[in-house]
Amino acid sequence: MAESDSGESTSSVSSFISRSSSSSRLSEFVDAKTELQDIYHDLSNYLSNFLTILEDSVLLRDRQMLEHLCAFSSRVEAIAKVLSRDRMKVAFFGRTSNGKSAVINALLHEKILPSAMGHTTSCFCQVQANGSDETEHVKVEQEDEHMELSALRELASAHSPGALKPSTLLQVNMAKNRCSILDYDVVLMDTPGVDVTAQLDDCLDSYCMDADVFILVLNAESTVSRVERQFFKDVASKLSRPNLFILNNRWDKASSMEPEMEQKVKDQHMERCVNLLVDELGVYSTAQEAWERIYHVSALEALHIRNGHIKNPSAQTKERYQEFLRFENDFSNCLAVSALKTKFGPHLLSAQKILNQLKSTLISPFIEKVSRLIDENKERRANLNAEIEEWELEMQGEREDLQYCFEELTEMTQRLGRCVLNDQIKTLMPSAVLSFSHPFHPEFPAQISQYQRSLCAHLDNLLEDRVLQCLSIPLQRKILDMEKEMGLQITEKSCDWQLIYGLDCQSYMSDFQPDLRFRFSLGFTALWHRLEGNLPLHASPFRTQKLRNGHKKCLPLPPLVHGNHWQMLESLVKSKGSLGTVLLGAMAIRSFNWPIVMILGGLVGSFYIYEYAAWTTAAQERSFKSQYSRLLQQRLRTDVQQTVSGFELQLRQHLAKVRNCWEAQSNETLNDLTVRTAELTKQIQSMEVLQLSLKKFRDKGQLLACRLGDFQETYLTKS
């Protein structure tokens, strides 16, 4: 029977232990933490890529937006670091000697923290899992020295002379495999008794205010004290409805000391605890909820059962151990749910808020902005294409107008050139020759040559200026007006252009030899030429004519034998000897009477003497000018058409430059329009790529939002 009872007891304990090891809800915290870390990692990459797009895009580069995005990235990185450090935290409170350290040891399945009668824990002890590459150790916060776990007896025990001050935080880093609860990132915070010193408030705020679950450890011998009530009132004022469990420890003492009073004492404890949770703190709304958070246990018994020190527990012991397992299970579930909400809830909301702000303030406005810019650039490109077509048509029309203007100017040059040249040959040049004043000495041949050269230079300047004033300047004005109408840029070369007209009268008159001998106006030679109507211009019988190729051609000498009698008579009349005069005198005497011949001879002789007396240097100069003028007119008339053709050639050359300038300017405008169109096309293509990237980022953001929604539904929505 005993063996049966013993086997049954062992089986019950094993089932209890198995039940206490069930920590499925705690594993959710680890899974949720891993998943949320992955989401934040993807969110960080998402922001980094988006920041790269904004920095590379000139269109979207906005300093304020970049600052916002950098702030988002910094915030995400900070939260990601916090996530890597986030753990579930349980804080144990109570007066000294209530068994707070014993409860933690029972949860750890091993006596780790100092635990004994009276005031034992001297400082704050934070029990947590160490890193994968660290050994188990104990260290004081903000110190680098690592000590073995055995140092807890000296550092954390108030009975040790080397105990730390109550305000010190001692970190106890243990291997995860030492205890299943540590494997789920749970931190257990043991505290000195709240009645140890009044200066612990700041330390409690620093070390415990971020706890997910608060466990108030009482003992069976006393209920909630005023200090404990006040502390949790302060906690409730700082935290909205904190998760609070009340553990009435050392209940084995109440059961063994006064068994008949156990139920009454339990009811009294329950009443006062419910009053604290519901009425004073308002942590729970109903008494039923508060009852589920109040437990009567013996932590020391639970530790002994788990260590195998109690092999045959009594019914009361089993009941208290089962109550401890219920506490452990309830507090683990509450811890996981609370930690999920308190640790990950704000991070979830932060990520959702960042995504919503990104979508509403950056991505969606940027997509709209890029779409608007694409539409505007497409409209600009269409306008530019229309402008190019219009410009090409306008160029064709202006090209035709330009050709028409060129023809008009060419015709004007021909007409005006002939008019100006003929006018100056007919009118200006003779008057200019007559008005020329220079010393004239016919008795010196060298001086006559000098006189002729001076006269040629005078005529060159005068006639060239006349062509410039009457032909070149009007043409220049017409061309400038045409360039202005065409919108061409007026250059200095255009303003300085003029026709080049080099007359060089000396080359025309290089073979001129004037006849300055006295000739009687009633002489037979003069009368004969009047009959012919043309007085010949005398030149040297050996005059040479200069050809275009530079050679000289001699004019043929007059024949010695004339062809008929009329020509012989002409030669006799025009001969310089007296034979002609004698013959003609004989004919006159034979035809008329002597008196008449004598009278006529006297008259002719008198007139001859008068003309001979009047044949002065001035008369000779006038004869020179007359001969010079007639010969120069004759030769200039033969070159009028050639000179006009030269003017036309110069004009066409200049107009060709004007046309080339206009073509270059028009093509420059056309090329500018084409380049602008190409630039717009390139911008449109780059903006379309950017728009596609932004839409992909928007879709990625929606996927992240969906992942956050799934995370919330999986881990935070369920109770």
Side-chain angles (χ1 to χ4, degrees):
M1 185 70 178
E3 291 178 0
S4 175
D5 293 341
S6 176
E8 183 179 355
S9 299
T10 303
S11 176
S12 299
V13 171
S14 299
S15 65
F16 294 153
I17 295 174
S18 175
R19 182 181 173 189
S20 67
S21 300
S22 176
S23 304
S24 60
R25 295 305 299 271
L26 292 177
S27 65
E28 289 184 3
F29 179 86
V30 179
D31 296 339
K33 178 180 178 179
T34 302
E35 184 170 348
L36 193 58
Q37 282 179 319
D38 292 340
I39 293 175
Y40 263 87
H41 179 266
D42 294 341
L43 180 58
S44 178
N45 292 335
Y46 176 75
L47 292 175
S48 296
N49 294 334
F50 190 61
L51 182 61
T52 301
I53 288 180
L54 292 187
E55 290 176 344
D56 294 341
S57 175
V58 179
L59 296 174
L60 302 182
R61 192 174 297 167
D62 187 314
R63 182 177 180 181
Q64 186 175 3
M65 293 299 182
L66 289 175
E67 290 178 354
H68 286 324
L69 194 58
C70 291
F72 288 152
S73 298
S74 300
R75 187 176 177 186
V76 168
E77 291 177 2
I79 294 176
K81 291 180 181 179
V82 172
L83 276 173
S84 64
R85 297 193 301 266
D86 273 344
R87 300 181 179 185
M88 294 177 283
K89 192 171 187 179
V90 184
F92 294 82
F93 292 91
R95 287 178 295 172
T96 57
S97 193
N98 279 1
K100 299 183 294 298
S101 301
V103 174
I104 294 176
N105 289 333
L107 292 174
L108 295 175
H109 295 234
E110 185 178 357
K111 186 176 180 181
I112 300 297
L113 300 178
S115 175
M117 295 297 293
H119 173 44
T120 304
T121 304
S122 63
C123 63
F124 289 87
C125 295
Q126 180 173 298
V127 182
Q128 59 191 10
N130 61 358
S132 58
D133 56 345
E134 292 181 338
T135 59
E136 294 183 334
H137 63 276
V138 177
K139 67 181 290 289
V140 179
E141 186 186 32
Q142 297 180 352
E143 292 185 7
D144 298 331
E145 183 182 3
H146 289 192
M147 296 168 283
E148 295 182 356
L149 292 180
S150 58
L152 284 169
R153 300 189 189 95
E154 297 181 2
L155 300 177
S157 176
H159 302 295
S160 172
L164 299 175
K165 295 181 180 180
S167 60
T168 306
L169 175 62
L170 186 64
Q171 295 177 351
V172 182
N173 296 281
M174 300 177 58
K176 290 184 177 181
N177 56 9
R178 289 282 294 269
C179 178
S180 61
I181 195 171
L182 297 180
D183 196 29
Y184 298 104
D185 286 341
V186 176
V187 175
L188 304 176
M189 178 64 73
D190 191 12
T191 62
V194 294
D195 55 342
V196 171
T197 176
Q199 284 76 35
L200 289 181
D201 292 346
D202 294 337
C203 297
L204 291 172
D205 289 343
S206 301
Y207 301 145
C208 304
M209 200 56 66
D210 59 343
D212 300 291
V213 173
F214 296 89
I215 297 177
L216 174 59
V217 181
L218 305 176
N219 62 54
E221 299 173 358
S222 61
T223 59
V224 184
S225 67
R226 182 187 62 80
V227 176
E228 292 167 330
R229 290 175 185 275
Q230 185 60 43
F231 171 76
F232 279 104
K233 285 182 181 179
D234 294 338
V235 172
S237 65
K238 296 177 181 179
L239 300 177
S240 177
R241 299 173 64 87
N243 294 302
L244 179 58
F245 289 77
I246 297 180
L247 204 62
N248 291 285
N249 191 24
R250 300 170 63 182
W251 202 249
D252 56 330
K253 300 296 182 182
S255 176
S256 61
M257 291 175 62
E258 299 182 14
E260 69 281 0
M261 297 294 294
E262 179 181 0
Q263 188 60 40
K264 292 182 179 180
V265 174
K266 181 184 290 188
D267 293 340
Q268 184 185 46
H269 279 251
M270 185 69 72
E271 180 182 358
R272 293 184 180 181
C273 289
V274 169
N275 182 58
L276 172 66
L277 295 176
V278 177
D279 298 333
E280 297 186 31
L281 301 180
V283 174
Y284 303 107
S285 57
T286 64
Q288 182 63 36
E289 292 178 349
W291 289 339
E292 295 177 357
R293 293 293 184 262
I294 302 172
Y295 307 89
H296 299 80
V297 300
S298 173
L300 189 58
E301 283 183 345
L303 178 61
H304 288 166
I305 290 174
R306 290 180 168 179
N307 290 337
H309 295 162
I310 299 178
K311 299 188 185 279
N312 297 312
S314 63
Q316 292 83 1
T317 300
K318 291 180 181 180
E319 182 180 355
R320 287 189 292 271
Y321 185 63
Q322 188 175 6
E323 184 78 353
F324 186 85
L325 291 178
R326 184 176 73 86
F327 154 72
E328 189 177 42
N329 185 65
D330 292 346
F331 122 80
S332 298
N333 291 337
C334 179
L335 175 63
V337 174
S338 175
L340 285 171
K341 291 181 179 179
T342 58
K343 303 295 185 185
F344 302 149
H347 301 332
L348 175 72
L349 293 177
S350 296
Q352 290 175 336
K353 184 177 180 181
I354 289 173
L355 287 174
N356 290 333
Q357 288 181 346
L358 277 175
K359 182 178 179 181
S360 61
T361 62
L362 291 178
I363 299 179
S364 295
F366 282 168
I367 291 177
E368 294 177 0
K369 180 180 179 180
V370 172
S371 299
R372 185 175 66 255
L373 289 175
I374 290 175
D375 294 338
E376 291 177 356
N377 285 343
K378 285 183 177 180
E379 184 178 358
R380 291 194 191 100
R381 185 175 63 180
N383 293 335
L384 284 176
N385 287 328
E387 189 174 350
I388 289 174
E389 294 178 1
E390 182 180 355
W391 183 256
E392 289 176 345
L393 293 175
E394 186 177 347
M395 283 181 62
Q396 183 62 29
E398 290 186 358
R399 193 175 286 111
E400 295 175 357
D401 295 341
L402 193 62
Q403 183 63 31
Y404 178 75
C405 290
F406 286 180
E407 292 175 357
E408 281 190 343
L409 287 173
T410 302
E411 183 182 356
M412 173 184 172
T413 302
Q414 293 175 350
R415 184 182 67 255
L416 191 59
R418 282 192 293 268
C419 181
V420 170
L421 290 177
N422 289 329
D423 180 67
Q424 70 180 10
I425 290 173
K426 182 179 180 181
T427 306
L428 180 63
M429 193 268 294
S431 63
V433 171
L434 292 176
S435 62
F436 177 71
S437 177
H438 194 273
F440 184 78
H441 302 283
E443 63 274 11
F444 302 110
Q447 197 279 334
I448 294 178
S449 298
Q450 178 63 33
Y451 182 88
Q452 180 178 334
R453 286 192 295 271
S454 299
L455 177 59
C456 290
H458 171 70
L459 291 178
D460 288 343
N461 295 331
L462 183 64
L463 298 182
E464 288 175 2
D465 291 343
R466 177 68 183 277
V467 170
L468 178 64
Q469 295 295 327
C470 297
L471 180 60
S472 181
I473 292 179
L475 282 177
Q476 183 183 20
R477 291 174 181 172
K478 285 281 187 181
I479 293 173
L480 290 177
D481 292 341
M482 180 189 66
E483 291 181 359
K484 289 180 181 179
E485 290 179 1
M486 294 168 57
L488 292 176
Q489 184 177 0
I490 306 300
T491 62
E492 186 177 351
K493 291 184 178 180
S494 299
C495 296
D496 294 341
W497 178 83
Q498 62 183 15
L499 289 174
I500 299 175
Y501 177 56
L503 181 57
D504 194 10
C505 292
Q506 184 62 29
S507 65
Y508 278 100
M509 305 298 289
S510 60
D511 59 347
F512 172 66
Q513 291 187 1
D515 184 5
L516 300 181
R517 293 172 300 174
F518 171 74
R519 291 184 181 277
F520 182 44
S521 60
L522 296 179
F524 299 115
T525 302
L527 292 176
W528 178 264
H529 285 292
R530 286 196 183 94
L531 290 175
E532 285 187 337
N534 184 23
L535 182 65
L537 298 177
H538 297 276
S540 173
F542 303 102
R543 177 174 61 90
T544 58
Q545 180 178 356
K546 188 174 182 180
L547 300 180
R548 294 182 182 273
N549 56 10
H551 299 284
K552 294 183 179 180
K553 180 175 69 176
C554 295
L555 295 177
L557 296 174
L560 298 175
V561 180
H562 297 283
N564 50 48
H565 296 288
W566 182 260
Q567 291 178 348
M568 183 178 67
L569 178 62
E570 177 186 0
S571 64
L572 289 175
V573 171
K574 293 165 46 178
S575 64
K576 299 179 182 179
S578 59
L579 180 58
T581 304
V582 172
L583 291 176
L584 290 177
M587 292 176 62
I589 293 173
R590 186 176 179 181
S591 301
F592 301 99
N593 296 325
W594 280 99
I596 297 174
V597 173
M598 293 298 294
I599 293 172
L600 290 175
L603 291 174
V604 170
S606 300
F607 195 66
Y608 178 88
I609 294 172
Y610 169 77
E611 285 189 356
Y612 187 80
W615 187 247
T616 61
T617 301
Q620 294 179 35
E621 183 179 9
R622 286 194 298 272
S623 177
F624 176 90
K625 290 181 178 180
S626 176
Q627 296 175 47
Y628 181 92
S629 179
R630 285 198 302 272
L631 181 59
L632 184 58
Q633 282 180 316
Q634 179 182 354
R635 293 184 175 179
L636 288 178
R637 285 192 183 98
T638 60
D639 288 345
V640 167
Q641 185 58 42
Q642 183 179 358
T643 305
V644 171
S645 298
F647 292 160
E648 180 181 353
L649 179 61
Q650 294 182 53
L651 177 67
R652 289 185 180 276
Q653 290 175 348
H654 181 68
L655 291 180
K657 294 180 181 179
V658 173
R659 182 195 295 274
N660 293 336
C661 181
W662 175 81
E663 290 283 354
Q665 185 171 330
S666 300
N667 290 332
E668 182 179 357
T669 303
L670 187 61
N671 291 336
D672 179 65
L673 293 175
T674 305
V675 169
R676 288 168 58 189
T677 303
E679 289 178 353
L680 283 177
T681 301
K682 186 177 180 181
Q683 289 181 9
I684 290 172
Q685 292 175 350
S686 64
M687 284 189 290
E688 287 176 346
V689 173
L690 179 60
Q691 184 185 44
L692 182 61
S693 300
L694 289 174
K695 289 181 178 180
K696 289 182 179 179
F697 268 90
R698 181 184 61 188
D699 296 339
K700 289 182 181 179
Q702 292 176 350
L703 289 176
L704 287 173
C706 292
R707 289 174 62 186
L708 290 173
D710 294 340
F711 178 89
Q712 184 176 14
E713 182 178 356
T714 303
Y715 297 106
L716 301 182
T717 302
K718 62 183 182 180
S719 58

